[in-house]
Amino acid sequence: MVVLASSDVSGPRASHVHLALTYQDDMVTVEVRDGGRGFDPRATQPTGLDRGFGLAAARDRLSVLGGRLTVDSAIGRGTRVRAELPAAEHVLARTP
């Protein structure tokens, strides 16, 4: 999530970036919202040489630990990325 917060989630024209960290009894949530240009989150292929699979990799890593990543974005509307991960004791119980 640090990568998401430190980079422009939906492009270099973001007018603002909000970061929220929430702790619940069994879940930790990090949300990054920006006012950038947005993108189509259904597009699974990177565009251009400088684009990668960052969101897909983050989604896979969170899934292994019992978490999930959701992306809400549209061109011209900014982006919201939300990562949810079970609290540490719940993750440790899942790992061999």
Side-chain angles (χ1 to χ4, degrees):
M1 292 315 301
V2 171
V3 172
L4 291 174
S6 64
S7 67
D8 293 317
V9 174
S10 65
R13 297 187 189 123
S15 60
H16 63 274
V17 176
H18 295 275
L19 177 65
L21 175 62
T22 306
Y23 296 93
Q24 297 172 346
D25 290 336
D26 61 349
M27 186 73 61
V28 176
T29 302
V30 176
E31 184 174 289
V32 180
R33 289 183 292 129
D34 72 27
R37 63 184 175 195
F39 66 98
D40 180 358
R42 296 172 296 162
T44 58
Q45 297 296 317
T47 57
L49 297 175
D50 63 338
R51 307 308 268 179
F53 292 99
L55 292 174
R59 191 173 276 124
D60 289 345
R61 289 178 183 139
L62 287 166
S63 177
V64 166
L65 296 172
R68 68 181 180 163
L69 183 79
T70 55
V71 178
D72 179 29
S73 184
I75 295 172
R77 190 171 61 86
T79 301
R80 180 180 65 96
V81 178
R82 180 181 177 107
E84 297 174 314
L85 190 64
E89 64 244 16
H90 298 284
V91 172
L92 292 175
R94 294 175 58 105
T95 54

